[in-house]
Amino acid sequence: MKKIMICLMALCVLYSCGEKKKSGVKAPIRVTTLLASPAFVDGGQTYVGIIEESEGTSVSFTGMGAVKRMLVNEGQHVNAGQLIAEIDDTQARSALKHAQAQMVQANDALYRYKQLHDAGSLPEMQWVEVQSKVAQAQSQLDMAKKNLADCRLIAPVSGIIGKKLINAGETAMPSQAVATILNINTLKVKVAIPEAEMNSINPSTQSTITVDAVGEELKGGRIEKGVQADALTHTYDIRINVANPKQKLLPGMVTTVKFINEGSQAISGISVPVTAVQRGTDKSYFVWIVDSNNTAHRNKVSVGSTSGNYISITEGIKVGQRIVTEGYQKLSEGTKVVF
């Protein structure tokens, strides 16, 4: 019995020793990291913008009628003078024929009365009345021709069909928009700017505009500043003029707009957040890097200029190395980390 008790006590001692050894292993420290890569930081403010057309023209019929043909679709390019749509012209053609007949009758009367007038046998007042009827008939004929021509809707400008608002078979009312034609040779990027930042932007402020939808980065042009704030957000709309010669950009596309503030110092090379760079007791700078085994190491670096919240690293870091940006306060040489 004593032997059994001694064995149990020995096992308990061994188990407790094993537990102590396990508890002595430190758990990995959780950190936030980034991969060192070539970068350019200009210290400018970044916003989200929406592309708008520089000009939009709504086209409509001047009279009422059933749409006989609709010859364009949304997104289609049209030239000035191109036929867009037609309405039923039956009544207009009938009115034109009547006006033409009236014109023939008036001219015939003018010819007959002219002979009497030239012979001196027609009172002057009656001659004036005949001439007046000819003028009235000509006016009615001109109006009938215009009404017939207005049954054909012609593009007044060149551009892209933005919206088609009516289809064949529907009835078009006078001045009811049938389609919109957008000028997209030049566009405007609308950006909402907080009121506190409006003073930092002027008509000549430089900007870069990135459009992910087409993979384009453009240089912004002159800026138009709004003067009326949104009552809820307290932001002002500004519009940046952008050239679009290839017409790749379309209204409605989302953009990233970066304003380059005057006096900001641009930095290039490998840039990291300023908070990732520490200073040792020997006045040298260092960062924490993580190797392929998820182990943290203290790495001396040489720093360059700063811009905003970023600082350039001129020596001590290679592209592709993983740098600790948050959680470095608990690190020591050789600490295991997770990220």
Side-chain angles (χ1 to χ4, degrees), residues 42 64 177:
D42 55 28
M64 183 179 71

Side-chain angles (χ1 to χ4, degrees), residues 106-182:
N107 283 330
D108 181 68
L110 179 67
Y111 175 75
R112 295 177 184 276
Y113 281 104
K114 186 177 184 304
Q115 292 179 335
L116 296 175
H117 179 266
D118 292 345
S121 56
L122 183 70
E124 190 65 28
M125 184 177 294
Q126 192 172 357
W127 173 241
V128 172
E129 184 179 347
V130 171
Q131 289 178 314
S132 177
K133 288 183 177 179
V134 171
Q136 290 176 6
Q138 183 63 55
S139 177
Q140 291 177 358
L141 179 61
D142 292 341
M143 183 62 68
K145 288 180 178 179
K146 181 182 184 302
N147 289 340
L148 179 60
D150 287 345
C151 291
R152 293 163 53 88
L153 185 58
I154 304 299
V157 294
S158 298
I160 299 292
I161 298 296
K163 288 185 178 180
K164 186 173 70 170
L165 303 171
I166 200 167
N167 294 305
E170 298 179 2
T171 299
M173 304 299 292
S175 301
Q176 175 189 3
V178 172
T180 57
I181 302 176
L182 309 180

Side-chain angles (χ1 to χ4, degrees), residues 44 76 80 90 92 96 149 153 177 208 222 235 276 290 292 313 315 322:
Q76 178 181 338
T90 302
L96 177 59
L153 185 58
T208 57
R222 187 167 182 80
T235 59
V290 180
S292 58
I313 304 298
E315 291 182 8
R322 189 171 293 277

Side-chain angles (χ1 to χ4, degrees), residues 49-272:
I50 300 292
I51 294 179
E52 296 180 339
E53 67 276 7
S54 58
E55 294 179 357
T57 303
S58 295
V59 291
S60 59
F61 291 103
T62 57
M64 183 179 71
V67 178
K68 184 168 62 175
R69 291 196 301 165
M70 193 71 190
L71 303 174
V72 295
N73 294 306
E74 293 182 357
Q76 178 181 338
H77 183 274
V78 295
N79 296 314
Q82 182 175 333
L83 180 63
I84 294 177
E86 289 181 309
I87 59 175
D88 183 35
D89 58 1
T90 302
Q91 291 184 349
R93 288 187 180 279
S94 178
L96 177 59
K97 288 181 180 180
H98 178 74
Q100 288 172 336
Q102 291 289 100
M103 189 75 246
V104 171
Q105 184 178 0
N107 283 330
D108 181 68
L110 179 67
Y111 175 75
R112 295 177 184 276
Y113 281 104
K114 186 177 184 304
Q115 292 179 335
L116 296 175
H117 179 266
D118 292 345
S121 56
L122 183 70
E124 190 65 28
M125 184 177 294
Q126 192 172 357
W127 173 241
V128 172
E129 184 179 347
V130 171
Q131 289 178 314
S132 177
K133 288 183 177 179
V134 171
Q136 290 176 6
Q138 183 63 55
S139 177
Q140 291 177 358
L141 179 61
D142 292 341
M143 183 62 68
K145 288 180 178 179
K146 181 182 184 302
N147 289 340
L148 179 60
D150 287 345
C151 291
R152 293 163 53 88
L153 185 58
I154 304 299
V157 294
S158 298
I160 299 292
I161 298 296
K163 288 185 178 180
K164 186 173 70 170
L165 303 171
I166 200 167
N167 294 305
E170 298 179 2
T171 299
M173 304 299 292
S175 301
Q176 175 189 3
V178 172
T180 57
I181 302 176
L182 309 180
N183 176 11
I184 62 171
N185 291 323
T186 57
L187 296 170
K188 294 182 180 181
V189 178
K190 184 177 76 171
V191 185
I193 303 296
E195 59 183 13
E197 300 172 16
M198 279 292 286
N199 287 335
S200 65
I201 298 173
N202 58 62
S204 59
T205 298
Q206 296 183 12
S207 62
T208 57
I209 299 165
T210 304
V211 187
D212 293 334
V214 295
E216 292 277 347
E217 183 172 291
L218 311 167
K219 183 178 180 181
R222 187 167 182 80
I223 296 174
E224 302 170 7
K225 297 177 65 174
V227 295
Q228 187 170 359
D230 185 280
L232 296 177
T233 62
H234 297 284
T235 59
Y236 290 82
D237 286 340
I238 69 166
R239 287 172 171 83
I240 309 168
N241 290 278
V242 179
N244 188 31
K246 298 180 181 179
Q247 297 190 348
K248 287 185 178 181
L249 308 182
L250 296 174
M253 288 184 174
V254 178
T255 69
T256 300
V257 179
K258 179 176 289 185
F259 294 102
I260 303 173
N261 299 327
E262 294 182 3
S264 64
Q265 185 178 12
I267 62 174
S268 58
I270 295 176
S271 58
V272 299

